[in-house]
Amino acid sequence: MLVEVAVAAAVRGTFTYRVPAPLASEVTLGQRVAVPFGRSPRATGYVVGFPTSPPPGLELKDVAAVLDAVPPFTPRLVELIRWAEDYYLVPPGELLRAALPPGLNSRRGTEGPARRGVEYASAEPGAADAVASLSRAPAQRAVLEYLLARGRIPLEELRRAFPHGRPALAALAKRALVRLERETKVARSGLLDAAADAPPLTAAQAAALVEVEAAFGTFTTFLLHGVTGSGKTEVYLQAIARARAAGKGALVLVPEIALTPQLSGRFRARFGDDVALLHSGLSGAERHAEWQRLRAGEARICVGVRSAIFAPVQDLAVIVVDEEHESSFKQEDGPAYHARDLAVVRGRYEEAVVILGSATPSLETLENARRGRYRRLELPARIDDRPMPTVELVDLRRLRRPGQDLAPGLLSPRLVDALAETVAAGQQAILFLNRRGFQTLVVCEGCGEEARCPDCSIALTHHARRGVLLCHACGRSERMSSTCPACGGVRFGVGVGTEQVEEAARAAVPGARIARLDRDAVTTADETAALLARFARRDLDVLVGTQMVTKGHDFPGVTLVGVVLADTALALPDFRAGERTFQLLTQVAGRAGRGADAGRVLVQTFNPATRAVARSVNHDYAGFAEEELVERRRRGWPPFTRLLAVRVEGSEASAPRAAEALARAARPALQGEIALLGPAPAAIERIRGRTRWHLLFRAPTPQALFRVHRALAPIARRPPGGVEVRFDMDPHAML
Ligand code: ADP
Ligand code: ZN
């Protein structure tokens, strides 16, 4: 008996092994096996096929051992992963490895680590001052800087970031610069007690459910387009309830669970222990345990983030992708896959119904619906016919008068008044700005020098609360000083971040209870849940934050949403900049007026006439999408073309050289229909001292891009000058 094995290493191709007779009965598709590979006598591999004849002229080796009783992957999952590896141009085995929860990646077999508390690491207060003193302990310094940048994080993350960082961490703990803690119980907040009973559906919801149910057992993809608060989640819940009643399983992908404890809470409340949660806030052991419950059929419903697309749900009948337009479904590091697109592929393999839900569908999904590939379901109104919030623009250009300095991004008089009225009326407000920190740039008055990261080509952000200048690309931090290190002149900060908005809000509405939600203010899922719970309990009047405040929160007390600056994302060199801005504005506006009282949204902007801003005033998704699609077609962007990004990282000299070499190699494959944009330095040209170059290939079909890949693969495998080359099919990040 022969098996085809994908070895869990970043190598191309699969390898054929003999199965010794005693193991033959145990080996099945998707099984983990130990095989001799290279210098290792027992490398971990996955059985991905059963060849009937051996490759010619090769001495075959034997499989050394079978590692699990039950294969971690079902045969259909193996098919899905192999499809994904071909499509996303990932080496075999890499996605298999990435798909598994951490415990299963070790060689210990199915015995996961016992459930125990989650360990956390954080920098002690004042530790930032000690960074400079660690110049002769670079490992400790690196770990400490990482913690200063990330705040309180599960130890697991630190272990992944610094695989050999254990001694440094121990030394830091001993010096009392780092605190290590263990937490055993997941915080239960008031938010999680969602109503368990299913309400009677509205007519629009019922009509959608009828269509979904009629499609059960066939591969059918739906676009569930419903305005914010229209009851999309209730449609998912009831569709899944029907599937569950028939003994089937369901998979629900959400952008981020930590931010939407309400959503997972509703699934738990409805389906109890039948729900397995998979997200990064869990420890490896917890994720492992949830994975096993699904694999064993003990839990039939999986609610998870991106990587849960590979969860071993049994008898999968319904796949839901909530907020399908969210870019967090796109994996950016490691194997670059898109979980929403894979959901549709998985639906095909599993003959399942796929529901893509959104108030602002991505233009890719919309175009698929327009072409009849996806069926459209509409929920055009809010539950109980609650009105959509009114949206007003505040034109910041008119507020700029000489002598009267309103820093761009601070609160206009109208927003201040609205805030005060809201708080006085006992209602709640959300203030949104997509930038954290206090000031986004620090400049010297004397010589004009900006504080920049020495390792990255970006400016440092001033975080006043912690007294540091922080690089948002690499996490490096240094003490903030108002003296310019270059000339000794006085430095001042410009540009507004959430910290400053919080301060402005406190000054504007003295006595109001205000809190901030961003990655500096909260660092764990529990803290996030606790803060959201306080807001939900109305212990807080105003919540200031980054896009963390825009997610699917359902706070009936919120009647005012203030967008402090709508323009932050508009100027980015990205053809999706307008789409992202429209989605963000719609999403955050959707937080207002979800209860008995009507909602109001104030959007401060320098670009009131820009399509994304102007169309958001009337919640006009259709109008926005229509015009945007016309422009995409004219300019040759997706969804009318396909893109392949090739990302090159190396030294200042080697990166451009390798990029040029790749461009030359691609030239023969570039026939009329395929265009090459670049090679060019990335918008953020340097991160962590590594120079980054991009090549962007554009073609009408993925097949044409695969031809490009074949031409580049030999160079990518052995790139010159120690550079790293990564392929990114259907790229999202343009920076
Ligand atoms: P969406 O996912 O579209 O934003 P939700 O499903 O969260 O909307 O619904 C918004 C609110 O309306 C929630 O509080 C939900 O519990 C409630 N809701 C949804 N469907 C119904 C219904 N049929 N009857 C009463 N309330 C509903
Ligand atoms: Zn940096």
Side-chain angles (χ1 to χ4, degrees), residues 199-202 205 227 229-234 266 383 554 594:
L201 295 179
T202 64
Q205 285 174 321
V227 298
S230 59
K232 295 183 289 294
T233 311
E234 195 54 47
R266 275 165 83 179
I383 293 292
D554 193 13
R594 295 173 75 95

Side-chain angles (χ1 to χ4, degrees), residues 452-458 460 470-476 686-689:
R452 305 188 69 86
C453 178
D455 301 325
C456 309
S457 51
I458 66 170
L460 297 172
L470 191 66
C471 173
H472 285 185
C474 73
R476 185 183 200 284
R686 231 156 35 94
I687 293 182
R688 291 190 176 83

